[in-house]
Amino acid sequence: MPLALSPTTVPVVVDDAKCIADKGCTVCVDVCPLDVLRISDLTGKAYMKFDECWYCMPCETDCPTGAVTVNIPYLLR
Amino acid sequence: MDNFVEGLTEVTCDVLVIGGGTAGPMAALKAKQKNPALNVVLLEKANVKRSGAISMGMDGLNNAVVPGYATPEQYTKEITIANDGIVDQAPVYKYASRCYEIIEELDRFGIRFQKNANGDFDLKKVHHLGTYVLPMPNGDTVKKALYRQLKRERILISNRFMATRLLTAREGRIAGAVAVNTRSAEFLVLRAKTVILCMGAAGRLGLPHSGYLFGTYENPTNSGDGYAMAYHAGAALANLECYQINPLIKDYNGPACAYVAGPFGAYTANSEGKRFIESDYWSGQMMQEFYNELQSGKGPVFLKLNHLHPDTVGEIEEILHKVERPSRGRFHEARGTDYREKMIEMHISEIGFCSGHSASGVFVDEFARTTVPGLYAAGDMASVPHNYMLGAFTNGAVAGEHAAEVAQEIDLPDYDPDFVRLERVRVLAPTRREDGIPPNQLEYKARRLVNDYLQPPKVTAKMQIGQARLADVREDFETALVVRNAHELMRALEVSSILDCADMAAHASLYRTESRWGLYHHRVDYPDKDDDNWFCHTLLSKVDGRMTSEKRAIQPYVVPIETEERSAYDRLRVLNQA
């Protein structure tokens, strides 16, 4: 039973130009109650790794540079 | 991050608080203030800064008993009536008597409440009988204010550790908990003299209509872990058949919210724009009327604000789109719905357990004690009915103080190392498999079965089929579940709690062979309320490894209820609409 990839469009979007995760910031990753954000090894920027969002908004509200936007998950929109 | 790391650490404390949402931080603070010499640990599977039901904030207190507006006696009476009389009044009365001092304390923390021109608290009437709703204009500061207090009191906070099971000593007394790191799967054994469970609702039980697993009314991290842990430790759980079901904005699944908009003149209406319920306060009877209207030719149901002045609507939006669930403005924007123009479609939520809004939970007395010595529970998971956020704070305080008093009197109980060894095997089993079913698929199936078979109207034969199908899913969980990293392991452990809660929901519902609490326990094949046989609590617990239910007499009322007052909440339908 191999696992297949099931693509989803993720609700949390990060503006790489504004994100300062590569400078050591982890605020959005820290405050997410569902722990779904990670810092990319490739880009050094934050991104949504797991599509498990409560669209609650601490990541957007607490981001010091305004890099994070929370959209409503597509299935609810 | 997220890769598996082998490891086990043991730490010792006096008071262990599990869950850093609302009740937990207050319990930890009060335990430490009671005796600053005690070692108090606050364990949280996310990060205390933004965890729990009030992650972003809260728009008001729904149950403030403030001198001049209401007395503890009036409040206790209202909550007793709203719950069909199935209430032990002592913990409700204790809450009602103490909540005002907690309001004043929160006000000092910097969480300001609405005041009128005279500087007095400005309460609104939403309940059927009394006046208890107090708006919080800066409710978005709640978590930050709490966090400041925790730092000030030097509470030891342990984030990213998810408790999986409680430890008990040989004579049944609580001895601590086992936890697993959500990013490395390393184990932590926390030995403690007393443990306070503040782990929130079982809010990820039913599947939302949208089909999105995390589009729940409750914060989906509140997956019923506390209910499952209390059950496996031998604690009794009360009235689990009294589900939580809430009236919400359809698809968005957030509060409508009549508690905020109601006092401004908004109300719940049918498709003709007419009122059909007398009171928008959430009770089982209100939910039954809501459900009936949804199913009728006058459905669906809407939140109506388009008769209000645009400035008033603007004022409501300012509250609704700023605190508690601020993304709802974005939801309406994307749909092109404006409160000023159209009514907003509502629907009922998926089922869950939550004493914050309903009445079920881990059984506690007026000191927040469960039936397991040394184990306490507070907030949405404890059995004090309709206790909302202020109940979590107040009962968290009660639990913290009592747990501190007990902890300073006793020695650290022993635990069975073999239990910890077996728990590690259980928890890590899905990490040992190369192949199998991932947790998201297993969760979807379990929760879809909850919707198909366990939600009201409850039918005996359907619930029995549900039990059998859920047993198959549990077997898949035990034999075929696979996780690839520590994050997936956390989700898998949450599914374990969801399966336990589903079993408890079915078992408790089948035990009570009558209908009660409106929609919450509407059994189609036992449609009538049967006070002769069922004017009592039900307690569910694990006896010799098996799920068992029993009746428990209601404790004599502290505040007497007159016969003619008892049915106030049965008369919620607007008469000319009936």
Side-chain angles (χ1 to χ4, degrees):
Chain A
M1 288 188 292
L3 299 180
L5 179 72
S6 176
T8 61
T9 171
V10 297
V12 175
V13 182
V14 178
D15 182 344
D16 282 358
K18 291 184 185 167
C19 176
I20 53 167
D22 50 352
K23 308 263 194 309
C25 179
T26 59
V27 168
C28 62
V29 178
D30 292 343
V31 296
C32 173
L34 284 127
D35 200 18
V36 298
L37 304 177
R38 291 290 181 269
I39 313 293
S40 165
D41 291 335
L42 284 175
T43 63
K45 306 293 182 179
Y47 75 108
M48 189 174 209
K49 183 175 179 185
F50 306 98
D51 180 14
E52 301 163 343
C53 184
W54 192 43
Y55 39 103
C56 55
M57 300 206 356
C59 55
E60 178 179 319
T61 308
D62 295 350
C63 172
T65 62
V68 183
T69 305
V70 177
N71 297 301
I72 303 295
Y74 178 70
L75 292 180
L76 284 63
R77 219 176 288 163
Chain B
M1 199 186 275
D2 303 325
N3 292 329
F4 300 124
V5 178
E6 286 286 335
L8 182 131
T9 312
E10 184 178 300
V11 298
T12 295
C13 62
D14 295 298
V15 180
L16 170 63
V17 182
I18 307 180
T22 313
M26 187 61 93
L29 279 174
K30 291 293 172 185
K32 189 76 179 172
Q33 285 167 357
K34 188 86 191 170
N35 182 349
L38 293 180
N39 197 353
V40 179
V41 170
L42 177 59
L43 191 78
E44 164 60 49
K45 71 176 166 179
N47 185 311
V48 174
K49 280 183 185 169
R50 286 293 197 180
S51 58
I54 60 165
S55 173
M56 274 305 280
M58 192 51 66
D59 47 32
L61 300 176
N62 295 333
N63 50 349
V65 186
V66 172
Y69 288 96
T71 62
E73 286 76 13
Q74 282 169 329
Y75 177 80
T76 304
K77 191 182 267 192
E78 175 126 18
I79 293 303
T80 306
I81 297 168
N83 285 286
D84 269 351
I86 312 289
V87 168
D88 277 358
Q89 288 188 336
V92 177
Y93 188 80
K94 173 86 155 270
Y95 157 77
S97 310
R98 279 206 62 182
C99 71
Y100 185 60
E101 74 181 72
I102 299 289
I103 295 173
E104 292 181 307
E105 186 159 19
L106 294 171
D107 207 52
R108 282 197 300 277
F109 287 176
I111 306 161
R112 291 188 308 277
F113 299 96
Q114 192 157 305
K115 291 181 180 145
N116 59 26
N118 297 329
D120 298 324
F121 290 124
D122 184 16
L123 279 90
K124 310 288 181 193
K125 183 175 187 300
V126 174
H127 290 62
H128 199 31
L129 306 175
T131 301
Y132 307 104
V133 173
L134 178 56
M136 294 164 65
N138 73 339
D140 54 332
T141 61
V142 177
K143 287 294 288 192
K144 286 204 163 90
L146 280 176
Y147 197 71
R148 271 198 307 274
Q149 298 300 320
L150 291 170
K151 287 286 167 193
R152 221 181 63 139
E153 294 285 348
R154 297 172 191 279
I155 306 292
L156 293 167
I157 298 172
S158 192
N159 290 318
R160 306 289 169 206
F161 272 100
M162 177 182 184
T164 66
R165 285 287 185 266
L166 291 163
L167 294 170
T168 44
R170 207 163 289 122
E171 69 280 21
R173 169 166 281 283
I174 208 73
V178 184
V180 64
N181 190 286
T182 62
R183 287 177 176 173
S184 68
E186 287 168 282
F187 275 78
L188 184 63
V189 172
L190 297 117
R191 299 184 62 187
K193 294 175 181 172
T194 50
V195 176
I196 307 172
L197 300 177
C198 303
M199 300 170 75
R204 211 161 99 209
L205 188 51
L207 183 67
H209 297 275
S210 66
Y212 189 62
L213 288 174
F214 299 85
T216 46
Y217 167 70
E218 295 288 345
N219 183 328
T221 55
N222 291 338
S223 44
D225 308 337
Y227 294 75
M229 278 172 50
Y231 169 74
H232 289 293
L237 295 100
N239 304 321
L240 295 177
E241 64 278 17
C242 181
Y243 294 169
Q244 160 174 252
I245 303 165
N246 294 328
L248 306 172
I249 302 278
K250 188 168 185 301
D251 299 336
Y252 180 72
N253 238 9
C257 170
Y259 294 6
V260 171
F264 288 97
Y267 55 88
T268 309
N270 58 24
S271 62
E272 295 172 354
K274 292 193 175 131
R275 260 182 219 272
F276 61 95
I277 35 179
E278 294 273 4
S279 166
D280 283 330
Y281 179 67
W282 295 359
S283 63
Q285 291 82 355
M286 181 273 196
M287 280 309 306
Q288 184 68 57
E289 295 298 351
F290 195 110
Y291 177 83
N292 292 347
E293 204 72 1
L294 272 179
Q295 303 295 323
S296 80
K298 290 176 185 170
V301 173
F302 298 86
L303 174 69
K304 183 167 162 52
L305 294 95
N306 57 0
H307 57 292
L308 301 175
H309 191 279
D311 290 352
T312 309
V313 176
E315 205 178 328
I316 295 168
E317 279 177 338
E318 178 61 23
I319 306 167
L320 291 182
H321 300 175
K322 205 178 90 187
V323 291
E324 191 169 347
R325 299 306 311 276
S327 60
R328 70 184 277 170
R330 233 158 258 191
F331 171 79
H332 292 311
E333 203 181 334
R335 287 267 175 109
T337 43
D338 187 322
Y339 301 138
R340 290 162 194 81
E341 290 158 16
K342 282 198 291 191
M343 301 194 294
I344 308 295
E345 187 183 357
M346 294 176 68
H347 203 69
I348 57 173
S349 70
E350 64 282 354
I351 67 161
F353 301 143
C354 174
S355 67
H357 309 94
S358 166
S360 58
V362 175
F363 178 83
V364 292
D365 66 8
E366 66 270 34
F367 299 104
R369 288 181 293 200
T370 72
T371 54
V372 172
L375 182 66
Y376 298 75
D380 279 347
M381 64 167 287
S383 67
V384 185
H386 295 211
N387 78 137
Y388 289 94
M389 180 180 72
L390 187 57
F393 281 132
T394 307
N395 297 324
V398 169
E401 287 165 2
H402 201 279
E405 273 177 33
V406 170
Q408 67 198 12
E409 299 298 325
I410 63 171
D411 296 327
L412 192 67
D414 282 324
Y415 72 97
D416 178 6
D418 216 38
F419 178 89
V420 174
R421 186 184 60 77
L422 291 171
E423 178 60 0
R424 283 183 83 185
V425 171
R426 180 188 80 91
V427 167
L428 294 176
T431 72
R432 310 289 192 218
R433 296 186 189 105
E434 294 292 321
D435 194 7
I437 306 166
N440 58 321
Q441 257 187 325
L442 217 131
E443 176 173 346
Y444 186 92
K445 189 166 181 176
R447 293 172 62 192
R448 195 266 298 170
L449 291 169
V450 167
N451 281 20
D452 284 354
Y453 295 106
L454 305 190
Q455 72 183 3
K458 302 177 186 176
V459 178
T460 302
K462 275 177 70 178
M463 299 200 92
Q464 288 164 341
I465 296 170
Q467 285 179 311
R469 297 294 317 278
L470 283 160
D472 292 341
V473 177
R474 183 182 289 276
E475 193 177 322
D476 292 339
F477 185 100
E478 285 164 3
T479 59
L481 178 71
V482 63
V483 301
R484 298 168 298 179
N485 55 52
H487 181 84
E488 286 186 356
L489 180 61
M490 166 171 67
R491 292 286 171 259
L493 290 165
E494 289 170 343
V495 178
S496 158
S497 302
I498 292 166
L499 285 169
D500 284 343
C501 287
D503 282 350
M504 289 193 266
H507 193 275
S509 293
L510 287 169
Y511 182 65
R512 187 182 281 275
T513 50
E514 63 152 1
S515 286
R516 192 173 285 274
W517 303 297
L519 185 65
Y520 298 161
H521 185 63
H522 175 41
R523 284 194 71 172
V524 183
D525 37 349
Y526 297 93
D528 299 323
K529 194 192 285 185
D530 176 6
D531 277 339
D532 290 341
N533 292 299
W534 289 105
F535 191 75
C536 61
H537 300 285
T538 64
L539 291 187
L540 179 149
S541 59
K542 192 174 174 180
V543 179
D544 299 328
R546 288 178 63 87
M547 198 172 282
T548 310
S549 283
E550 60 183 317
K551 294 182 180 181
R552 181 180 188 275
I554 293 164
Q555 298 306 296
Y557 286 164
V558 184
V559 182
I561 312 283
E562 303 297 330
T563 313
E564 63 270 22
E565 292 174 317
R566 281 185 188 175
S567 57
Y569 271 74
D570 293 340
R571 299 188 299 265
L572 286 178
R573 179 156 279 271
V574 172
L575 280 176
N576 59 10
Q577 288 275 306

